[in-house]
Amino acid sequence: MKKCLLSLIAILLPIITFAQEAQEMGIDEKIDQVFGDATGWFVTFIFYQIDFGSGIKVFWVLFPLIIGATYFTFYFRLINIRGFFTSINIVRGKYDDLEERENHKVEAAKSTFTDEDDNPDTIRVEGHEGEVSHFQALTAALSATVGLGNIAGVAIAVSIGGAGATFWMIIAGLLGMASKFVECTLGVKYRDIAEDGTVYGGPMYYLTKGLKAKGMGGLGKILAVLFAIFVIGGSFGGGNMFQVNQAFQLVQSITGGEESFLYGNGWLFGLVMAIFVGIVIIGGIKKIAKVTDKIVPFMVVIYVAASLFVIIAKYDMVGSAFAAIWNGAFSPEGIAGGVIGVLVQGFRRAAFSNEAGVGSASIAHSAVKTKYAASEGMVALLEPFIDTVVVCTMTALVLIITGFVDPLNPPANDAQAILLTSSAFESSISWFPYVLTIAVVLFAFSTMISWSYYGFQGWAYLFGRTKKMEYAYKLLFCVFVVIGAAASLGSVIGFSDAMIFAMMVPNMIGLVILAPKVKEELNKYMAAIKARKE
């Protein structure tokens, strides 16, 4: 561990020098331009908007996400609703005894890396029990989704789409629960286990193995490689640089803005974050899970408690707020695109926030200790509910009740949106911006450590699982933490965010093809629960 940290510091020092020079010489702007020119076509393609006229423009990537989530909701007979309380019981450990039942048949896998057969019991066959509990897998995945999108993204959605955008965010969250269930069940079903018990899972593996079993091995390999490339890019940008950059913006603002001692010294903030991130991620998923299962519940409780305080303090306005949400969803006034415009804003921000259908969460859930793949899929469907239905709705209510939304003058970017949300809380809790700043830093920190795990899984799939490759990725990830805080690499972040959405394309193809396999796993698990009760 000491050697790794020393190596990290040795690599970061020249990066810090470069970051300082970049700020003084404007090199970051030049990088922005060069990188933007080289990758602009990709960003434009992923975020291409279909113009339906009357001011209605919809990102094409929203269609497969929405259609897919709706399809899974009905294909699995409203699993997002009827399986809700079962999911809570699984997290509580009510069905843990099923894991030890002697009558559960164990089938040995032919190999741990190339086997195309589905085998959720691989871990136990090899004498391993997985790496984390259901609760830890849930918090590790939640730490990557609950974050700045819930705070800043909601402010943008409500400002542009009005109060009605909240209704469609909730609908998107409920539908997204089904997509999360499917991808995380597959993540466990087709995971790989190294000889030391380390788990490797996610879309790379169920695309490769699952489609090969269906006679589509070539397609599966292509989709898996594409996903691995996209998830690495997403981990460096949207899961890293964007997070630390926006956290720094709020910290700088709360400490005096242009008068702050941090003004012009983002590299210093980035260095501190990089060291803490490095300490955690070098320890692997077990260390990540031990951190996230403490940070995530704490963050969510603090944030929701503050939201409830504002809502209760202005309880007389709650009724009118919900009325505005309902009316604005179906009969918006002054909103570009009317009802469709509001719907698009709600679904867009929900998709960015909970990542349902993107496939990223299945990577964390694959490391769970279980022999029933569907059990973890059930746990995962709670994520969009917590992330979007609870946390995003709380933020929206605070913004609506306090009056800090203006569809005619929306925030230009997420940085301004964070400050807008901070001001909304400050109107009722004068000191809360300081608490919110701490929460945002923790949100950013937890998101970064979880995305480092996602990116590493893609990296290991492409370049191998050696320690040398592992440390190469993790050190590189920490370098990007410093770069993200020190410079305003807008094009890089835009490209990386596009990569996150690009992950959805190969993933959704695999989810639809492998849905019958998920149904088999669900029936097997529900039968086990039923037998337990009898």
Side-chain angles (χ1 to χ4, degrees), residues 203-365:
M204 297 83 68
Y205 298 93
Y206 58 71
L207 289 171
T208 302
K209 294 180 178 181
L211 296 188
K212 185 176 181 181
K214 285 184 169 288
M216 294 181 277
L219 174 63
K221 192 70 176 178
I222 292 171
L223 294 177
V225 169
L226 284 174
F227 183 90
I229 293 171
F230 294 150
V231 77
I232 292 171
S235 73
F236 287 149
N240 182 341
M241 290 193 292
F242 173 77
Q243 301 295 325
V244 70
N245 183 275
Q246 299 306 286
F248 171 66
Q249 296 298 325
L250 191 54
V251 170
Q252 179 179 270
S253 173
I254 208 70
T255 54
E258 293 186 3
E259 303 300 321
S260 170
F261 68 97
L262 285 173
Y263 185 72
N265 294 307
W267 64 269
L268 183 59
F269 179 83
L271 175 62
V272 173
M273 289 290 280
I275 291 174
F276 280 111
V277 167
I279 290 173
V280 175
I281 68 175
I282 288 173
I285 185 62
K286 290 183 180 179
K287 181 68 72 67
I288 291 172
K290 285 180 180 178
V291 173
T292 58
D293 72 2
K294 295 176 178 62
I295 289 181
V296 174
F298 171 75
M299 290 189 302
V300 173
V301 168
I302 290 293
Y303 190 74
V304 170
S307 300
L308 286 174
F309 180 87
V310 175
I311 293 169
I312 293 172
K314 298 181 180 292
Y315 70 92
D316 56 320
M317 301 176 67
V318 173
S320 59
F322 276 110
I325 290 173
W326 178 261
N327 294 331
F330 301 101
S331 56
E333 296 180 7
I335 306 297
V339 174
I340 301 299
V342 175
L343 182 149
V344 168
Q345 283 303 318
F347 271 85
R348 175 189 174 188
R349 289 300 162 180
F352 270 106
S353 178
N354 61 45
E355 297 169 19
V358 171
S360 52
S362 67
I363 299 174
H365 284 283

Side-chain angles (χ1 to χ4, degrees), residues 119-188:
N119 186 0
D121 300 307
T122 306
I123 288 179
R124 290 180 180 268
V125 172
E126 297 179 2
H128 300 293
E129 295 186 340
E131 297 196 78
V132 296
S133 68
H134 283 299
F135 180 72
Q136 288 177 322
L138 176 65
T139 56
L142 267 175
S143 65
T145 54
V146 176
L148 301 183
N150 304 80
I151 301 172
V154 174
I156 289 180
V158 177
S159 293
I160 298 175
T166 308
F167 175 84
W168 296 112
M169 275 194 293
I170 294 172
I171 296 299
L174 292 174
L175 291 175
M177 292 167 72
S179 297
K180 272 286 175 75
F181 162 74
V182 176
E183 60 192 13
C184 292
T185 297
L186 290 172
V188 177

Side-chain angles (χ1 to χ4, degrees), residues 1-14 271 274-275 278-279 282 471 475:
M1 180 69 77
K2 269 187 182 178
K3 190 179 290 185
C4 291
L5 289 176
L6 288 174
S7 300
L8 171 61
I9 293 172
I11 291 178
L12 290 177
L13 286 176
L271 175 62
I275 291 174
I279 290 173
I282 288 173
Y471 289 130
L475 291 173

